[in-house]
C-alpha cells in the first residue's frame, strides 16, 4: 500500500481508519495532496472527488444525514476552506456529524504575503464543536486533538474542524507507515433521567396537551410511544412533513389547520403543556401562535440541545425521546377531554375544503404540489429544498412510507441539490428532489458530480423567481421588488440537464404534468429532471385565497 511520506498526514489517515470513518469527500487541490494520496490508496475508505467546495460539503452532509455517522470533507489551503461554511453551519444546527479537514501552509508562511494563505485556524469557531489546530510535525498532542475532534463529531452529532499544516514536497510516497498514532476511545456518556413524578402529575391533570414534533429520522421514535400519544384524547400531536412519524390521529398539515383560526379559536386551542422533540420547525404560523398564546409549561426532549423557540421553555430532558417516554408513560393516565376530538373535526372540514378549492383553481404552485406528492411511489426517499417547496409540501398529505428530509438547520437555499445527491448515494434508494428555481440555479454546480445515481430524479418548480417573497407582507409589484427581492428571471434548466446527462421533460398544466410524472417514474436508466412551469403572477394570490376558503 502507498502512504504519503509526510508523517502528519499518515497520523490523520490512520486515526480516521481506526475510528471507522469511511466516507471521504475530497475537493481537488495541491496542499491537501498528502491526505488525498493516503485516503485514495487505502481500501478502508470510499473517496469522492467534488470540484466545487460548497457542493462538496453539502454532498458530504447528505451522506452523513443518512448514515448518521461522521463524514470527512478535505480541501486545500486558502479560500477553498471558506466555501465549506454554509454546510458546516447547517450541520451544526441540524446535528449532523461532519469533519472538515483543511490542509494549510506551515505557520511561518501565514501573513507574509504568500499565495493561498488565510488565517485558517478556528475559522469556524462560532459553529464548530471542536477545533483541532495541528502542528506540522507528528506528536502526542496532535494525536490527541485528532482523536478528540472525531470523538466529538460522534458524540455531539455536529461539525468539527481539523487544520493540518503541510510543507512541500507534498506528493512523495512511501511503502510503509512512519508513525504509530495513539487511538483514544470515545467515552459514551448516558444522561440520567430525573424523577418524573411531579411532571407526570401535571400531565395527568391537564386536559390540553400539545405535542409538536420537528424533523426526525424515520423510526427514530418507537411506534408504541407514538400510539400512546395518538390515542390520548387530551393530546393533540402536530407533525411536520420532515417528522417521519405517523398515526391516524396526528395533525400533519399544521398551517392548513390553524391559519384560518380566529382569536377565540386560538384561545380554545392554547395548550396547558407543550411537549416538543425533533429538529427545527418549518411552520411559521405555529411558532407565532405559541409565542403569543404561550403554554404554562414547555418541555423539550433532546439528548444534546433545547432552543427556547417560543419564549416559554421550562424543562429540557437531555435524553432521547424513547428513553423519556419509556419512563414517563409508566406514570401517566388517560383523562376525559375533547381537545383532540375538536381538532380532528377541524381536520376533516379542512380536508374537504382543500379538495373543493384545488378542483377550481388554475394550474399554479399549489395545484402542482397537490398533483406531484400523491403520485410519488411508496418507499421513495424525498428531499425537499427550502423556501417555497418545503412550505407547499406541508399542505399536502404524503404517503407514510416516504422518508422526507430538508436542510432546516439554517433554512438556506444553498446546497439542497448537493445534499440530496449525497443522500441518494448513501441510501441507494430511489430518490426524488423537489426544488424551487432559485435554489436549484444557486446550487447548479451540484450536478457537476460523477456519482449521481441513475434513479435520482429532480422535480423543479420554476415560477420565474423567488415566489416566497410575494406571499410575505409588504409585497409591491415594482422594478425594485422584482429585481432585488424576487430575483425575476427567464432561465430554464434545459441546457443544464443536457450538459450533465439528465433526461429532461417539461410540464405547464395538469395534463402535461401527470403525463411527464408517469414517464419520469418509468425511466431509471439515467437521472431525470422534470421542469414544471407555473405562473409567476398567480401563485401568491391562489395560495393566500386558499387559507381564506378553508373555513
Amino acid at each position: 500500500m502507498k502512504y504519503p511520506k509526510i508523517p502528519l498526514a499518515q497520523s490523520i489517515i490512520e486515526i480516521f481508519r481506526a475510528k471507522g470513518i469511511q466516507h471521504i469527500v475530497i475537493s481537488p487541490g495541491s496542499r491537501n495532496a498528502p491526505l488525498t494520496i493516503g485516503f485514495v490508496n487505502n481500501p478502508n475508505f470510499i473517496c469522492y472527488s467534488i470540484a466545487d467546495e460548497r457542493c462538496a460539503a453539502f454532498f458530504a452532509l447528505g451522506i452523513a444525514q443518512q448514515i448518521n455517522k461522521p463524514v470527512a470533507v478535505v480541501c486545500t489551503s486558502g479560500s477553498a476552506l471558506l466555501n465549506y461554511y454554509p454546510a458546516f453551519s447547517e450541520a451544526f444546527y441540524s446535528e449532523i456529524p461532519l469533519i472538515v479537514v483543511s490542509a494549510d501552509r506551515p505557520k511561518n508562511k501565514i501573513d507574509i504575503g504568500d499565495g493561498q494563505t488565510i488565517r485558517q485556524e478556528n475559522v469556524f469557531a462560532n459553529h464548530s464543536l471542536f477545533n483541532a489546530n495541528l502542528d506540522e510535525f507528528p506528536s502526542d498532542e496532535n494525536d490527541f486533538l485528532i482523536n478528540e475532534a472525531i470523538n466529538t463529531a460522534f458524540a455531539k452529532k455536529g461539525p468539527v474542524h481539523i487544520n493540518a499544516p503541510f510543507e512541500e514536497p507534498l506528493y512523495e510516497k512511501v511503502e510503509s507507515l512512519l508513525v504509530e498514532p495513539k487511538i483514544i476511545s470515545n467515552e459514551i456518556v448516558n444522561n440520567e433521567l430525573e424523577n418524573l413524578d411531579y411532571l407526570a402529575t401535571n400531565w395527568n391533570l391537564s386536559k390540553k396537551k400539545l405535542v409538536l414534533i420537528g424533523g426526525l429520522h424515520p423510526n427514530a421514535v418507537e411506534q408504541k410511544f407514538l400510539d400512546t400519544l395518538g390515542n390520548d384524547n387530551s393530546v393533540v400531536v402536530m407533525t411536520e412533513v420532515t417528522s417521519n412519524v405517523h398515526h391516524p390521529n396526528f395533525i400533519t398539515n399544521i398551517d392548513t389547520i390553524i391559519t384560518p383560526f380566529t382569536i377565540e379559536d386560538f384561545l380554545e386551542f392554547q395548550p396547558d403543556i407543550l411537549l416538543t422533540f425533533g429538529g427545527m420547525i418549518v411552520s411559521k404560523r405555529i411558532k407565532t401562535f405559541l409565542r403569543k398564546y404561550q403554554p404554562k409549561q414547555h418541555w423539550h426532549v433532546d439528548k444534546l440541545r433545547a432552543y427556547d423557540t417560543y419564549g416559554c421553555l421550562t424543562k429540557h430532558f437531555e435524553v432521547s425521546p424513547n428513553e423519556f417516554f419509556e419512563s414517563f408513560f409508566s406514570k401517566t393516565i388517560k383523562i376525559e377531554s375533547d381537545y383532540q376530538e375538536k381538532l380532528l373535526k377541524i381536520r376533516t372540514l379542512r380536508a374537504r375544503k382543500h379538495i373543493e378549492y384545488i378542483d377550481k383553481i388554475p394550474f399554479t404552485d399549489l395545484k402542482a404540489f397537490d398533483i406531484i406528492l400523491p403520485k410519488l411511489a411508496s418507499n421513495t426517499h424525498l428531499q425537499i429544498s427550502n423556501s417555497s417547496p418545503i412550505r407547499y409540501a406541508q399542505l399536502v398529505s404524503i404517503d407514510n412510507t416516504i422518508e422526507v428530509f430538508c436542510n432546516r438547520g439554517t433554512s438556506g437555499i444553498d446546497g439542497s441539490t448537493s445534499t440530496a445527491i449525497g443522500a441518494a448515494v448513501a441510501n441507494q434508494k430511489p430518490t426524488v428532489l423537489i426544488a424551487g428555481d432559485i435554489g436549484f440555479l444557486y446550487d447548479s454546480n451540484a450536478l457537476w458530480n460523477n456519482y449521481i445515481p441513475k434513479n435520482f430524479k429532480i422535480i423543479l418548480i420554476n415560477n420565474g423567481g423567488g415566489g416566497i417573497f410575494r406571499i410575505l407582507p409588504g409585497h409591491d409589484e415594482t422594478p425594485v421588488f422584482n429585481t432585488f427581492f424576487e430575483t425575476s428571471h427567464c432561465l430554464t434548466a434545459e441546457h443544464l440537464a443536457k450538459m450533465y446527462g439528465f433526461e429532461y421533460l417539461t410540464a405547464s398544466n395538469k395534463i402535461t404534468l401527470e403525463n411527464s410524472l408517469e414517464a419520469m417514474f418509468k425511466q431509471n436508466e439515467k437521472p431525470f429532471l422534470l421542469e414544471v412551469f407555473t405562473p409567476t403572477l398567480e401563485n401568491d394570490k391562489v395560495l393566500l385565497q386558499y387559507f381564506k376558503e378553508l373555513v
Side-chain angles (χ1 to χ4, degrees):
M1 188 185 302
K2 296 193 183 312
Y3 301 94
K5 187 176 181 180
I6 295 176
L8 176 58
Q10 290 187 8
S11 295
I12 293 170
I13 292 158
E14 283 302 295
I15 296 172
F16 272 52
R17 180 192 60 77
K19 292 287 183 182
I21 307 299
Q22 187 179 22
H23 296 274
I24 312 293
V25 180
I26 299 172
S27 302
S30 181
R31 187 61 51 169
N32 57 337
L35 295 170
T36 302
I37 290 167
F39 282 126
V40 170
N41 285 290
N42 193 316
N44 292 284
F45 301 108
I46 302 171
C47 295
Y48 312 86
S49 177
I50 306 290
D52 185 309
E53 282 89 2
R54 187 175 67 190
C55 296
F58 276 109
F59 177 81
L61 184 90
I63 298 174
Q65 176 199 80
Q66 294 301 301
I67 67 174
N68 204 25
K69 294 179 181 178
V71 172
V73 58
V74 180
C75 71
T76 190
S77 61
S79 60
L81 175 61
L82 303 182
N83 288 296
Y84 286 164
Y85 213 142
F88 198 94
S89 60
E90 177 65 32
F92 177 82
Y93 288 107
S94 288
E95 298 184 2
I96 295 175
L98 187 71
I99 303 173
V100 165
V101 186
S102 56
D104 200 356
R105 295 292 205 276
K107 292 183 180 180
N108 63 357
K109 299 288 180 68
I110 307 302
D111 288 334
I112 66 167
D114 207 6
Q116 282 192 290
T117 56
I118 65 170
R119 299 171 187 175
Q120 295 183 193
E121 293 187 355
N122 305 314
V123 75
F124 301 128
N126 282 342
H127 297 96
S128 181
L129 299 179
F130 188 82
N131 298 295
N133 297 308
L134 307 182
D135 290 323
E136 184 181 346
F137 303 102
S139 65
D140 289 349
E141 176 64 17
N142 273 347
D143 291 351
F144 170 80
L145 292 172
I146 298 164
N147 276 276
E148 188 66 16
I150 298 171
N151 290 346
T152 300
F154 270 108
K156 296 186 178 181
K157 300 295 183 186
V160 298
H161 177 206
I162 299 172
N163 191 60
F166 298 127
E167 182 57 281
E168 297 178 3
L170 302 169
Y171 294 87
E172 293 183 329
K173 308 178 190 69
V174 294
E175 299 294 329
S176 59
L177 288 170
L178 306 174
V179 298
E180 291 185 19
K182 289 180 170 57
I183 308 300
I184 303 171
S185 62
N186 184 24
E187 294 184 13
I188 299 175
V189 178
N190 292 316
N191 295 324
E192 294 278 335
L193 187 58
E194 64 186 85
N195 189 303
L196 299 175
D197 289 348
Y198 76 101
L199 293 169
T201 299
N202 292 341
W203 181 272
N204 293 336
L205 291 174
S206 172
K207 293 187 176 182
K208 295 197 297 183
K209 282 102 70 171
L210 175 61
V211 177
L212 180 59
I213 307 176
L216 285 170
H217 275 262
N219 305 312
V221 181
E222 292 184 42
Q223 190 62 41
K224 65 179 181 180
F225 300 135
L226 301 173
D227 292 342
T228 298
L229 292 169
N231 294 328
D232 189 328
N233 293 327
S234 66
V235 175
V236 167
V237 178
M238 288 189 153
T239 68
E240 299 217 304
V241 69
T242 55
S243 298
N244 292 303
V245 294
H246 307 286
H247 185 278
N249 292 337
F250 287 0
I251 304 294
T252 58
N253 309 121
I254 298 174
D255 288 356
T256 301
I257 299 296
I258 71 171
T259 300
F261 272 7
T262 63
I263 294 175
E264 291 75 17
D265 292 329
F266 281 124
L267 287 169
E268 189 170 2
F269 179 48
Q270 182 178 10
D272 301 319
I273 297 173
L274 171 66
L275 173 62
T276 58
F277 55 95
M280 302 293 191
I281 295 296
V282 175
S283 172
K284 186 175 181 179
R285 288 177 172 89
I286 195 66
K287 286 186 278 192
T288 301
F289 160 67
L290 289 170
R291 287 164 183 161
K292 185 173 182 180
Y293 301 90
Q294 293 184 337
K296 297 182 182 70
Q297 301 176 61
H298 172 201
W299 310 341
H300 186 72
V301 181
D302 188 281
K303 270 192 167 184
L304 299 172
R305 299 181 215 160
Y307 295 109
D308 192 9
T309 306
Y310 315 106
C312 55
L313 183 68
T314 54
K315 200 68 184 173
H316 175 204
F317 298 98
E318 296 181 61
V319 295
S320 71
N322 288 327
E323 292 170 303
F324 175 78
F325 291 131
E326 187 69 55
S327 177
F328 187 64
F329 283 151
S330 66
K331 305 174 186 297
T332 62
I333 59 173
K334 289 185 179 181
I335 61 172
E336 288 298 318
S337 172
D338 62 356
Y339 188 52
Q340 183 187 99
E341 180 185 4
K342 287 180 178 178
L343 263 292
L344 292 179
K345 286 182 179 177
I346 293 172
R347 184 181 71 176
T348 301
L349 170 65
R350 299 281 196 264
R352 178 167 57 83
K353 292 291 186 179
H354 174 95
I355 294 172
E356 292 174 0
Y357 185 72
I358 293 295
D359 284 345
K360 67 181 183 181
I361 61 174
F363 187 76
T364 50
D365 284 350
L366 180 59
K367 191 144 191 165
F369 274 88
D370 198 72
I371 294 169
I372 292 166
L373 293 177
K375 290 190 179 297
L376 297 176
S378 299
N379 299 304
T380 295
H381 177 86
L382 176 61
Q383 294 270 338
I384 305 176
S385 75
N386 272 307
S387 209
S388 295
I390 189 61
R391 288 173 170 82
Y392 276 110
Q394 298 266 95
L395 306 177
V396 182
S397 296
I398 296 177
D399 185 273
N400 289 354
T401 66
I402 293 174
E403 302 173 348
V404 186
F405 289 85
C406 177
N407 286 347
R408 290 304 297 178
T410 64
S411 307
I413 64 167
D414 46 348
S416 293
T417 308
S418 299
T419 301
I421 296 170
V425 168
N427 63 40
Q428 299 182 342
K429 297 177 181 178
T431 298
V432 174
L433 166 67
I434 301 179
D437 51 341
I438 300 300
F440 173 80
L441 292 169
Y442 195 80
D443 194 31
S444 61
N445 266 1
L447 305 185
W448 186 13
N449 183 313
N450 294 324
Y451 311 101
I452 301 175
K454 292 180 180 179
N455 60 357
F456 180 73
K457 305 180 191 307
I458 300 173
I459 300 174
L460 173 59
I461 310 297
N462 189 340
N463 54 29
I468 187 67
F469 291 102
R470 293 178 170 271
I471 302 166
L472 300 176
H475 162 237
D476 187 19
E477 198 69 37
T478 65
V480 170
F481 173 85
N482 294 338
T483 302
F484 294 101
F485 290 90
E486 188 184 41
T487 321
S488 298
H489 68 88
C490 297
L491 304 174
T492 79
E494 180 180 3
H495 297 294
L496 279 171
K498 182 178 181 181
M499 181 167 69
Y500 290 115
F502 276 66
E503 192 76 25
Y504 177 77
L505 282 178
T506 64
S508 56
N509 56 50
K510 181 176 184 293
I511 295 174
T512 56
L513 177 55
E514 289 175 339
N515 290 339
S516 294
L517 286 169
E518 183 178 359
M520 181 179 73
F521 290 130
K522 282 182 179 178
Q523 201 275 94
N524 288 301
E525 296 305 312
K526 60 192 298 191
F528 207 111
L529 197 158
L530 168 58
E531 189 162 17
V532 183
F533 295 97
T534 63
T536 304
L537 301 180
E538 297 297 323
N539 290 312
D540 60 317
K541 300 181 183 68
V542 167
L543 181 62
L544 293 172
Q545 185 63 26
Y546 168 73
F547 293 112
K548 296 177 182 178
E549 300 206 13
L550 289 172
V551 294

